[in-house]
Amino acid sequence: MTIMPSPTFPFIKVVANDVGGIKERWSVVDLSGRYHDNPINVNSLMLTSMGAWLDSKGSWDTDVLATQPGVSISTELLQWEHRATMGRDQYVKIVKFGRVYPFGHKAVEITITERKVKPGFPFAFLEQEKFIMIRQPVLDYSLESSVMKRNLPFKRVELRTLNTPPITGTVVGSAPIADAYWIKVAASGQDFPWAVVATDWDGSEVKFTTPLIFVRGFVAGAYDEVPYTNAKPVLDSCATAMAKVAVSMGGQKIAWAKSPGSDPLKSQARVLPTNSIKFTSNNVDQAVPGETRFYPQVSQANVQLDAIEEMTNQSAGTTIRVASMYQ
């Protein structure tokens, strides 16, 4: 969807090419009737010649329902709440599921459209705000494949920030903004800083902040029955864009591999003061329905290696990355 400012009142936002709105309306019909999941709770409904009065709310486990054979749903709608008086919308809340990139935590995008009176104008305009809320604060990678373990120095990643202020989104490479976008603070336009606590292979905690990308559910996860979802170019754009962001680690020591045993020299050599990490992802073509299509990995990192610093007489750090033969 394209958001365009009104030429008359600059604080009004008009939604153009609202294809998503049509999909959401169809999804309400599908979720409440066609697939017989949960009916919509209607507190009041009055039809008049001057317009309808409506107070309704629907909630569904769409991310679970979409994994079932034969269920084809066109949008990631989890919740729809709608209040209207005399044909005029007063409050609409739409909740859709997705994941945050690159770590893959489950999240929801909350869009609230509310009619508000602006000082100095004898009108009540509809204003829209978006928020991201984390549904899955902790992800454990310790049981993943050995390839992934080599590509990421963390066995556990926890997002300490669970909610955002009002946000806006900017495009990620060539990916459509409806499929993936950088999460920005609406008031400033700056990247929203997510607080992260990661646990390395020695069990030590590493704290940092990083920008994240929101990826809509049917792109981030595998759902065989969902039509018109071409996830690969979107996730490839995310991987390329994220790999350009150097996330500061502030010189914290990180165990870049599991302990080799009792050899103290080998044990010390794998724990490195780390200045920054550039993350990307390993994108999976074939994933289990409902599971993520991407897994985080390190593109490269800047670390402190004493031997190289002594040899070069420089302290700018050394760039390391996982050799391609081990990826």
Side-chain angles (χ1 to χ4, degrees):
M1 293 187 294
T2 303
I3 305 296
M4 301 185 303
S6 166
T8 306
F9 303 107
F11 50 81
I12 304 175
K13 291 183 178 179
V14 180
V15 179
N17 302 322
D18 189 14
V19 177
I22 297 173
K23 289 182 179 180
E24 287 155 12
R25 288 167 175 80
W26 274 112
S27 295
V28 169
V29 175
D30 286 345
L31 292 168
S32 61
R34 181 180 174 190
Y35 297 119
H36 306 290
D37 189 34
N38 287 327
I40 298 170
N41 295 318
V42 179
N43 295 321
S44 65
L45 173 62
M46 294 183 289
L47 303 179
T48 75
S49 59
M50 298 293 289
W53 298 61
L54 175 66
D55 183 359
S56 63
K57 182 177 181 179
S59 298
W60 305 276
D61 293 327
T62 312
D63 50 343
V64 177
L65 187 64
T67 63
Q68 299 179 12
V71 176
S72 178
I73 301 172
S74 58
T75 187
E76 297 89 346
L77 189 66
L78 291 175
Q79 187 182 112
W80 171 65
E81 187 175 349
H82 198 152
R83 294 197 293 271
T85 56
M86 207 161 65
R88 290 165 176 80
D89 293 334
Q90 302 298 328
Y91 179 90
V92 180
K93 178 180 178 181
I94 293 174
V95 180
K96 295 182 178 182
F97 69 90
R99 291 179 184 263
V100 287
Y101 183 97
F103 300 114
H105 298 78
K106 292 181 180 179
V108 292
E109 176 194 69
I110 303 170
T111 304
I112 296 177
T113 306
E114 190 170 9
R115 190 174 296 277
K116 295 181 179 180
V117 177
K118 283 289 183 179
F121 290 91
F123 313 105
F125 297 103
L126 288 173
E127 292 190 352
Q128 189 176 91
E129 291 183 321
K130 287 183 183 290
F131 307 86
I132 301 296
M133 184 175 73
I134 301 300
R135 301 171 69 196
Q136 183 185 28
V138 178
L139 275 179
D140 191 320
Y141 307 110
S142 60
L143 298 179
E144 299 297 340
S145 67
S146 58
V147 173
M148 180 182 169
K149 291 176 182 178
R150 285 195 294 266
N151 291 343
L152 188 72
F154 305 127
K155 62 181 180 181
R156 182 179 185 271
V157 174
E158 177 183 357
L159 297 183
R160 289 288 176 88
T161 307
L162 301 181
N163 300 281
T164 69
I167 60 131
T168 186
T170 58
V171 295
V172 181
S174 59
I177 198 167
D179 290 339
Y181 56 83
W182 287 104
I183 302 169
K184 306 274 188 177
V185 179
S188 65
Q190 301 298 312
D191 289 323
F192 179 73
W194 295 85
V196 181
V197 177
T199 305
D200 71 8
W201 293 108
D202 279 358
S204 300
E205 288 189 347
V206 180
K207 298 180 180 180
F208 58 93
T209 61
T210 181
L212 295 176
I213 298 169
F214 180 80
V215 183
R216 74 180 184 94
F218 289 156
V219 173
Y223 298 91
D224 293 340
E225 299 291 338
V226 177
Y228 316 122
T229 299
N230 188 4
K232 187 179 186 307
V234 176
L235 296 178
D236 287 348
S237 291
C238 291
T240 301
M242 195 74 203
K244 297 177 182 178
V245 179
V247 179
S248 175
M249 297 291 141
Q252 297 176 88
K253 291 185 177 180
I254 297 176
W256 283 86
K258 287 187 174 182
S259 174
S262 58
D263 189 330
L265 293 179
K266 289 183 178 179
S267 181
Q268 292 175 6
R270 65 193 174 80
V271 180
L272 302 174
T274 304
N275 299 323
S276 64
I277 295 177
K278 293 182 178 181
F279 294 100
T280 184
S281 66
N282 176 27
N283 300 332
V284 181
D285 291 332
Q286 300 294 327
V288 177
E291 295 298 319
T292 180
R293 296 183 195 264
F294 61 88
Y295 293 93
Q297 68 179 41
V298 171
S299 172
Q300 65 181 48
N302 184 276
V303 300
Q304 299 291 335
L305 294 174
D306 293 341
I308 292 181
E309 289 182 8
E310 289 179 7
M311 183 172 58
T312 61
N313 197 28
Q314 295 181 355
S315 59
T318 301
T319 298
I320 63 170
R321 57 173 56 90
V322 178
S324 58
M325 63 183 293
Y326 293 114
Q327 294 183 5

Short mmCIF file of all heavy atoms in Angstrom, two decimals, residues 104-156:
data_model
loop_
_atom_site.label_atom_id
_atom_site.label_comp_id
_atom_site.label_asym_id
_atom_site.label_seq_id
_atom_site.Cartn_x
_atom_site.Cartn_y
_atom_site.Cartn_z
N GLY A 104 14.37 -14.13 13.59
CA GLY A 104 13.22 -15.00 13.35
C GLY A 104 12.18 -15.06 14.44
O GLY A 104 11.30 -15.92 14.40
N HIS A 105 12.24 -14.17 15.44
CA HIS A 105 11.23 -14.18 16.49
C HIS A 105 9.85 -13.86 15.91
O HIS A 105 9.71 -12.98 15.05
CB HIS A 105 11.56 -13.15 17.56
CG HIS A 105 12.86 -13.40 18.27
ND1 HIS A 105 14.08 -13.10 17.71
CD2 HIS A 105 13.12 -13.93 19.49
CE1 HIS A 105 15.05 -13.42 18.55
NE2 HIS A 105 14.50 -13.94 19.64
N LYS A 106 8.83 -14.56 16.40
CA LYS A 106 7.47 -14.30 15.97
C LYS A 106 7.00 -12.94 16.51
O LYS A 106 7.27 -12.60 17.65
CB LYS A 106 6.52 -15.40 16.45
CG LYS A 106 6.77 -16.75 15.80
CD LYS A 106 5.78 -17.79 16.30
CE LYS A 106 6.02 -19.14 15.63
NZ LYS A 106 5.07 -20.16 16.14
N ALA A 107 6.31 -12.20 15.66
CA ALA A 107 5.85 -10.86 16.03
C ALA A 107 4.51 -10.59 15.36
O ALA A 107 4.06 -11.35 14.49
CB ALA A 107 6.88 -9.81 15.60
N VAL A 108 3.87 -9.52 15.79
CA VAL A 108 2.64 -9.08 15.13
C VAL A 108 2.76 -7.61 14.77
O VAL A 108 3.43 -6.83 15.45
CB VAL A 108 1.39 -9.30 16.01
CG1 VAL A 108 1.10 -10.76 16.20
CG2 VAL A 108 1.52 -8.59 17.35
N GLU A 109 2.12 -7.26 13.67
CA GLU A 109 1.99 -5.87 13.25
C GLU A 109 0.58 -5.42 13.61
O GLU A 109 -0.41 -6.02 13.16
CB GLU A 109 2.22 -5.77 11.75
CG GLU A 109 2.01 -4.37 11.18
CD GLU A 109 1.92 -4.39 9.67
OE1 GLU A 109 0.90 -4.92 9.15
OE2 GLU A 109 2.84 -3.90 9.01
N ILE A 110 0.49 -4.38 14.42
CA ILE A 110 -0.80 -3.86 14.88
C ILE A 110 -1.06 -2.52 14.20
O ILE A 110 -0.25 -1.60 14.32
CB ILE A 110 -0.82 -3.69 16.41
CG1 ILE A 110 -0.50 -5.02 17.10
CG2 ILE A 110 -2.16 -3.14 16.88
CD1 ILE A 110 -0.27 -4.89 18.60
N THR A 111 -2.16 -2.43 13.48
CA THR A 111 -2.54 -1.19 12.81
C THR A 111 -3.83 -0.68 13.43
O THR A 111 -4.85 -1.38 13.43
CB THR A 111 -2.74 -1.41 11.30
OG1 THR A 111 -1.55 -1.98 10.75
CG2 THR A 111 -3.04 -0.09 10.61
N ILE A 112 -3.78 0.53 13.97
CA ILE A 112 -4.95 1.13 14.61
C ILE A 112 -5.33 2.40 13.84
O ILE A 112 -4.51 3.30 13.68
CB ILE A 112 -4.68 1.47 16.09
CG1 ILE A 112 -4.43 0.17 16.88
CG2 ILE A 112 -5.85 2.24 16.69
CD1 ILE A 112 -4.08 0.40 18.33
N THR A 113 -6.56 2.43 13.36
CA THR A 113 -7.10 3.60 12.68
C THR A 113 -8.21 4.16 13.56
O THR A 113 -9.16 3.45 13.90
CB THR A 113 -7.65 3.23 11.30
OG1 THR A 113 -6.64 2.55 10.55
CG2 THR A 113 -8.09 4.47 10.54
N GLU A 114 -8.07 5.42 13.95
CA GLU A 114 -9.01 6.00 14.92
C GLU A 114 -9.39 7.42 14.49
O GLU A 114 -8.55 8.18 14.01
CB GLU A 114 -8.35 6.03 16.30
CG GLU A 114 -9.28 6.38 17.43
CD GLU A 114 -8.65 6.17 18.79
OE1 GLU A 114 -7.42 5.92 18.85
OE2 GLU A 114 -9.37 6.24 19.79
N ARG A 115 -10.67 7.74 14.66
CA ARG A 115 -11.15 9.08 14.32
C ARG A 115 -10.85 10.03 15.47
O ARG A 115 -11.21 9.77 16.62
CB ARG A 115 -12.66 9.05 14.04
CG ARG A 115 -13.20 10.34 13.44
CD ARG A 115 -14.67 10.19 13.06
NE ARG A 115 -14.86 9.20 12.01
CZ ARG A 115 -14.70 9.45 10.71
NH1 ARG A 115 -14.33 10.65 10.30
NH2 ARG A 115 -14.91 8.49 9.82
N LYS A 116 -10.15 11.14 15.15
CA LYS A 116 -9.76 12.10 16.17
C LYS A 116 -10.05 13.52 15.70
O LYS A 116 -9.96 13.81 14.50
CB LYS A 116 -8.27 11.97 16.50
CG LYS A 116 -7.88 10.64 17.14
CD LYS A 116 -6.40 10.60 17.46
CE LYS A 116 -6.01 9.28 18.11
NZ LYS A 116 -4.55 9.23 18.43
N VAL A 117 -10.36 14.37 16.66
CA VAL A 117 -10.58 15.79 16.36
C VAL A 117 -9.26 16.53 16.48
O VAL A 117 -8.53 16.37 17.47
CB VAL A 117 -11.61 16.40 17.33
CG1 VAL A 117 -11.77 17.90 17.06
CG2 VAL A 117 -12.95 15.69 17.19
N LYS A 118 -8.93 17.32 15.47
CA LYS A 118 -7.71 18.12 15.49
C LYS A 118 -8.04 19.55 15.91
O LYS A 118 -9.01 20.13 15.43
CB LYS A 118 -7.06 18.13 14.10
CG LYS A 118 -6.32 16.86 13.75
CD LYS A 118 -5.05 16.74 14.56
CE LYS A 118 -4.26 15.51 14.16
NZ LYS A 118 -3.01 15.39 14.93
N PRO A 119 -7.22 20.13 16.78
CA PRO A 119 -7.46 21.52 17.20
C PRO A 119 -7.46 22.46 15.99
O PRO A 119 -6.59 22.38 15.12
CB PRO A 119 -6.28 21.81 18.13
CG PRO A 119 -5.83 20.48 18.62
CD PRO A 119 -6.07 19.53 17.48
N GLY A 120 -8.45 23.32 15.93
CA GLY A 120 -8.51 24.29 14.86
C GLY A 120 -9.28 23.84 13.64
O GLY A 120 -9.46 24.61 12.69
N PHE A 121 -9.74 22.58 13.63
CA PHE A 121 -10.51 22.07 12.50
C PHE A 121 -11.84 21.52 13.01
O PHE A 121 -11.86 20.73 13.96
CB PHE A 121 -9.75 20.96 11.77
CG PHE A 121 -8.54 21.45 11.03
CD1 PHE A 121 -7.30 21.49 11.65
CD2 PHE A 121 -8.64 21.88 9.71
CE1 PHE A 121 -6.18 21.93 10.97
CE2 PHE A 121 -7.54 22.32 9.02
CZ PHE A 121 -6.30 22.36 9.66
N PRO A 122 -12.93 21.92 12.41
CA PRO A 122 -14.25 21.44 12.86
C PRO A 122 -14.59 20.07 12.28
O PRO A 122 -15.72 19.81 11.90
CB PRO A 122 -15.19 22.52 12.32
CG PRO A 122 -14.53 22.97 11.06
CD PRO A 122 -13.05 22.90 11.31
N PHE A 123 -13.59 19.21 12.18
CA PHE A 123 -13.79 17.89 11.61
C PHE A 123 -13.10 16.86 12.51
O PHE A 123 -12.19 17.19 13.27
CB PHE A 123 -13.20 17.78 10.20
CG PHE A 123 -13.55 18.91 9.29
CD1 PHE A 123 -12.61 19.88 8.98
CD2 PHE A 123 -14.82 19.02 8.76
CE1 PHE A 123 -12.92 20.93 8.15
CE2 PHE A 123 -15.14 20.07 7.92
CZ PHE A 123 -14.20 21.03 7.61
N ALA A 124 -13.51 15.61 12.37
CA ALA A 124 -12.84 14.49 13.04
C ALA A 124 -12.25 13.60 11.96
O ALA A 124 -12.99 12.96 11.20
CB ALA A 124 -13.81 13.72 13.92
N PHE A 125 -10.92 13.58 11.88
CA PHE A 125 -10.24 12.84 10.82
C PHE A 125 -9.81 11.46 11.32
O PHE A 125 -9.60 11.24 12.51
CB PHE A 125 -9.00 13.60 10.35
CG PHE A 125 -9.30 14.94 9.75
CD1 PHE A 125 -9.09 16.10 10.47
CD2 PHE A 125 -9.79 15.03 8.46
CE1 PHE A 125 -9.35 17.34 9.91
CE2 PHE A 125 -10.06 16.26 7.89
CZ PHE A 125 -9.85 17.42 8.62
N LEU A 126 -9.65 10.54 10.37
CA LEU A 126 -9.12 9.22 10.68
C LEU A 126 -7.59 9.27 10.66
O LEU A 126 -6.99 9.69 9.68
CB LEU A 126 -9.62 8.18 9.67
CG LEU A 126 -11.09 7.78 9.78
CD1 LEU A 126 -11.47 6.88 8.61
CD2 LEU A 126 -11.38 7.09 11.10
N GLU A 127 -6.98 8.86 11.76
CA GLU A 127 -5.53 8.78 11.85
C GLU A 127 -5.12 7.33 12.06
O GLU A 127 -5.81 6.57 12.73
CB GLU A 127 -5.01 9.64 13.01
CG GLU A 127 -5.18 11.12 12.80
CD GLU A 127 -4.45 11.93 13.85
OE1 GLU A 127 -3.95 11.33 14.82
OE2 GLU A 127 -4.38 13.16 13.69
N GLN A 128 -3.99 6.98 11.48
CA GLN A 128 -3.54 5.59 11.53
C GLN A 128 -2.15 5.50 12.14
O GLN A 128 -1.26 6.29 11.82
CB GLN A 128 -3.52 4.99 10.13
CG GLN A 128 -3.27 3.49 10.10
CD GLN A 128 -3.35 2.93 8.69
OE1 GLN A 128 -2.36 2.85 7.98
NE2 GLN A 128 -4.56 2.55 8.27
N GLU A 129 -1.97 4.52 13.04
CA GLU A 129 -0.67 4.25 13.65
C GLU A 129 -0.40 2.75 13.58
O GLU A 129 -1.32 1.94 13.65
CB GLU A 129 -0.63 4.71 15.10
CG GLU A 129 -0.66 6.22 15.29
CD GLU A 129 -0.55 6.62 16.74
OE1 GLU A 129 -1.15 5.93 17.60
OE2 GLU A 129 0.12 7.63 17.03
N LYS A 130 0.89 2.43 13.44
CA LYS A 130 1.31 1.03 13.42
C LYS A 130 2.28 0.77 14.57
O LYS A 130 3.07 1.64 14.95
CB LYS A 130 2.00 0.68 12.10
CG LYS A 130 1.06 0.58 10.90
CD LYS A 130 1.84 0.15 9.66
CE LYS A 130 0.94 0.10 8.43
NZ LYS A 130 -0.02 -1.01 8.49
N PHE A 131 2.23 -0.46 15.08
CA PHE A 131 3.12 -0.89 16.15
C PHE A 131 3.58 -2.32 15.84
O PHE A 131 2.89 -3.07 15.13
CB PHE A 131 2.41 -0.89 17.51
CG PHE A 131 1.73 0.41 17.86
CD1 PHE A 131 0.44 0.67 17.43
CD2 PHE A 131 2.38 1.36 18.62
CE1 PHE A 131 -0.20 1.86 17.74
CE2 PHE A 131 1.76 2.56 18.94
CZ PHE A 131 0.47 2.81 18.50
N ILE A 132 4.72 -2.69 16.40
CA ILE A 132 5.18 -4.08 16.35
C ILE A 132 5.24 -4.60 17.77
O ILE A 132 5.78 -3.94 18.67
CB ILE A 132 6.57 -4.21 15.69
CG1 ILE A 132 6.54 -3.66 14.26
CG2 ILE A 132 7.03 -5.67 15.70
CD1 ILE A 132 5.65 -4.41 13.31
N MET A 133 4.70 -5.79 17.98
CA MET A 133 4.75 -6.44 19.29
C MET A 133 5.33 -7.84 19.12
O MET A 133 4.92 -8.58 18.22
CB MET A 133 3.36 -6.52 19.92
CG MET A 133 3.36 -7.09 21.33
SD MET A 133 1.72 -7.04 22.10
CE MET A 133 0.90 -8.35 21.17
N ILE A 134 6.27 -8.20 19.98
CA ILE A 134 6.93 -9.50 19.91
C ILE A 134 6.08 -10.55 20.61
O ILE A 134 5.66 -10.37 21.75
CB ILE A 134 8.33 -9.44 20.54
CG1 ILE A 134 9.20 -8.39 19.82
CG2 ILE A 134 9.00 -10.81 20.49
CD1 ILE A 134 9.40 -8.65 18.35
N ARG A 135 5.82 -11.66 19.92
CA ARG A 135 5.04 -12.76 20.50
C ARG A 135 5.94 -13.86 21.05
O ARG A 135 5.50 -14.68 21.85
CB ARG A 135 4.13 -13.39 19.43
CG ARG A 135 3.15 -12.44 18.79
CD ARG A 135 2.47 -13.10 17.60
NE ARG A 135 1.55 -14.16 17.98
CZ ARG A 135 1.08 -15.07 17.13
NH1 ARG A 135 1.45 -15.05 15.86
NH2 ARG A 135 0.24 -16.00 17.54
N GLN A 136 7.18 -13.90 20.61
CA GLN A 136 8.10 -14.97 20.98
C GLN A 136 9.44 -14.33 21.37
O GLN A 136 10.33 -14.19 20.55
CB GLN A 136 8.28 -15.92 19.79
CG GLN A 136 9.16 -17.12 20.03
CD GLN A 136 9.37 -17.93 18.75
OE1 GLN A 136 9.32 -17.38 17.65
NE2 GLN A 136 9.60 -19.21 18.89
N PRO A 137 9.60 -13.93 22.63
CA PRO A 137 10.80 -13.17 23.02
C PRO A 137 12.11 -13.95 22.91
O PRO A 137 13.16 -13.35 22.69
CB PRO A 137 10.52 -12.78 24.48
CG PRO A 137 9.05 -12.93 24.65
CD PRO A 137 8.64 -14.03 23.73
N VAL A 138 12.05 -15.27 23.07
CA VAL A 138 13.28 -16.06 23.14
C VAL A 138 13.29 -17.11 22.03
O VAL A 138 12.29 -17.81 21.81
CB VAL A 138 13.42 -16.77 24.51
CG1 VAL A 138 14.68 -17.63 24.54
CG2 VAL A 138 13.45 -15.74 25.63
N LEU A 139 14.43 -17.21 21.34
CA LEU A 139 14.66 -18.29 20.38
C LEU A 139 15.92 -19.04 20.78
O LEU A 139 16.96 -18.43 21.06
CB LEU A 139 14.80 -17.74 18.96
CG LEU A 139 13.51 -17.51 18.18
CD1 LEU A 139 13.82 -16.96 16.79
CD2 LEU A 139 12.71 -18.80 18.05
N ASP A 140 15.82 -20.36 20.79
CA ASP A 140 16.95 -21.23 21.15
C ASP A 140 17.41 -21.96 19.89
O ASP A 140 16.64 -22.66 19.25
CB ASP A 140 16.51 -22.23 22.22
CG ASP A 140 17.67 -22.98 22.83
OD1 ASP A 140 18.59 -23.36 22.08
OD2 ASP A 140 17.67 -23.20 24.06
N TYR A 141 18.68 -21.77 19.54
CA TYR A 141 19.24 -22.38 18.34
C TYR A 141 20.12 -23.58 18.65
O TYR A 141 20.77 -24.12 17.75
CB TYR A 141 20.07 -21.36 17.55
CG TYR A 141 19.35 -20.08 17.24
CD1 TYR A 141 19.71 -18.89 17.87
CD2 TYR A 141 18.31 -20.04 16.33
CE1 TYR A 141 19.06 -17.69 17.59
CE2 TYR A 141 17.64 -18.85 16.04
CZ TYR A 141 18.03 -17.69 16.68
OH TYR A 141 17.38 -16.51 16.40
N SER A 142 20.17 -24.01 19.91
CA SER A 142 21.13 -25.04 20.32
C SER A 142 20.86 -26.40 19.67
O SER A 142 21.76 -27.23 19.57
CB SER A 142 21.14 -25.19 21.84
OG SER A 142 19.86 -25.55 22.32
N LEU A 143 19.62 -26.63 19.23
CA LEU A 143 19.29 -27.92 18.62
C LEU A 143 19.31 -27.88 17.10
O LEU A 143 18.96 -28.87 16.45
CB LEU A 143 17.90 -28.38 19.10
CG LEU A 143 17.76 -28.61 20.61
CD1 LEU A 143 16.34 -29.04 20.95
CD2 LEU A 143 18.76 -29.65 21.10
N GLU A 144 19.70 -26.74 16.53
CA GLU A 144 19.73 -26.63 15.08
C GLU A 144 20.93 -27.38 14.50
O GLU A 144 21.75 -27.95 15.22
CB GLU A 144 19.77 -25.15 14.67
CG GLU A 144 18.57 -24.35 15.14
CD GLU A 144 17.26 -24.82 14.54
OE1 GLU A 144 17.29 -25.50 13.49
OE2 GLU A 144 16.20 -24.51 15.12
N SER A 145 21.05 -27.37 13.18
CA SER A 145 22.08 -28.14 12.50
C SER A 145 23.48 -27.61 12.83
O SER A 145 23.65 -26.47 13.26
CB SER A 145 21.87 -28.07 10.98
OG SER A 145 22.10 -26.76 10.52
N SER A 146 24.48 -28.46 12.61
CA SER A 146 25.86 -28.07 12.88
C SER A 146 26.30 -26.92 11.98
O SER A 146 27.12 -26.09 12.36
CB SER A 146 26.80 -29.27 12.69
OG SER A 146 26.68 -29.79 11.37
N VAL A 147 25.73 -26.86 10.76
CA VAL A 147 26.07 -25.77 9.84
C VAL A 147 25.64 -24.44 10.44
O VAL A 147 26.39 -23.47 10.46
CB VAL A 147 25.41 -25.99 8.47
CG1 VAL A 147 25.62 -24.76 7.58
CG2 VAL A 147 25.98 -27.23 7.80
N MET A 148 24.41 -24.40 10.96
CA MET A 148 23.93 -23.15 11.54
C MET A 148 24.74 -22.78 12.77
O MET A 148 25.03 -21.61 13.01
CB MET A 148 22.45 -23.28 11.91
CG MET A 148 21.91 -22.00 12.52
SD MET A 148 20.21 -22.11 13.02
CE MET A 148 20.09 -20.60 13.97
N LYS A 149 25.12 -23.77 13.57
CA LYS A 149 25.89 -23.49 14.78
C LYS A 149 27.24 -22.87 14.43
O LYS A 149 27.76 -22.04 15.18
CB LYS A 149 26.08 -24.77 15.58
CG LYS A 149 24.79 -25.29 16.21
CD LYS A 149 25.01 -26.62 16.91
CE LYS A 149 23.71 -27.15 17.49
NZ LYS A 149 23.89 -28.47 18.13
N ARG A 150 27.82 -23.27 13.31
CA ARG A 150 29.09 -22.66 12.89
C ARG A 150 28.89 -21.23 12.40
O ARG A 150 29.78 -20.40 12.50
CB ARG A 150 29.73 -23.50 11.78
CG ARG A 150 30.36 -24.80 12.24
CD ARG A 150 31.26 -25.36 11.16
NE ARG A 150 30.52 -25.76 9.97
CZ ARG A 150 30.07 -26.99 9.75
NH1 ARG A 150 30.28 -27.93 10.65
NH2 ARG A 150 29.43 -27.28 8.64
N ASN A 151 27.71 -20.96 11.86
CA ASN A 151 27.46 -19.65 11.25
C ASN A 151 26.97 -18.60 12.23
O ASN A 151 26.83 -17.44 11.85
CB ASN A 151 26.43 -19.80 10.12
CG ASN A 151 26.97 -20.57 8.94
OD1 ASN A 151 28.18 -20.73 8.81
ND2 ASN A 151 26.09 -21.06 8.10
N LEU A 152 26.69 -18.99 13.47
CA LEU A 152 26.18 -18.04 14.46
C LEU A 152 26.84 -18.34 15.80
O LEU A 152 26.80 -19.48 16.27
CB LEU A 152 24.65 -18.17 14.58
CG LEU A 152 23.95 -17.12 15.44
CD1 LEU A 152 23.94 -15.77 14.73
CD2 LEU A 152 22.52 -17.54 15.75
N PRO A 153 27.43 -17.33 16.45
CA PRO A 153 28.11 -17.59 17.73
C PRO A 153 27.15 -17.65 18.92
O PRO A 153 27.61 -17.81 20.05
CB PRO A 153 29.06 -16.39 17.86
CG PRO A 153 28.35 -15.29 17.15
CD PRO A 153 27.63 -15.94 16.00
N PHE A 154 25.85 -17.55 18.68
CA PHE A 154 24.88 -17.51 19.77
C PHE A 154 23.97 -18.74 19.71
O PHE A 154 23.44 -19.09 18.66
CB PHE A 154 24.03 -16.25 19.69
CG PHE A 154 24.83 -14.98 19.66
CD1 PHE A 154 24.63 -14.04 18.66
CD2 PHE A 154 25.80 -14.74 20.62
CE1 PHE A 154 25.37 -12.87 18.63
CE2 PHE A 154 26.55 -13.57 20.60
CZ PHE A 154 26.33 -12.63 19.59
N LYS A 155 23.79 -19.37 20.86
CA LYS A 155 22.87 -20.50 20.94
C LYS A 155 21.48 -20.07 21.40
O LYS A 155 20.53 -20.85 21.33
CB LYS A 155 23.41 -21.57 21.87
CG LYS A 155 23.59 -21.13 23.33
CD LYS A 155 24.15 -22.27 24.17
CE LYS A 155 24.35 -21.86 25.63
NZ LYS A 155 24.92 -22.96 26.44
N ARG A 156 21.36 -18.82 21.85
CA ARG A 156 20.08 -18.32 22.35
C ARG A 156 20.05 -16.81 22.14
O ARG A 156 21.02 -16.12 22.41
CB ARG A 156 19.94 -18.65 23.84
CG ARG A 156 18.64 -18.24 24.50
CD ARG A 156 18.68 -18.66 25.97
NE ARG A 156 17.42 -18.42 26.67
CZ ARG A 156 17.13 -17.28 27.28
NH1 ARG A 156 18.00 -16.28 27.28
NH2 ARG A 156 15.98 -17.14 27.92
#
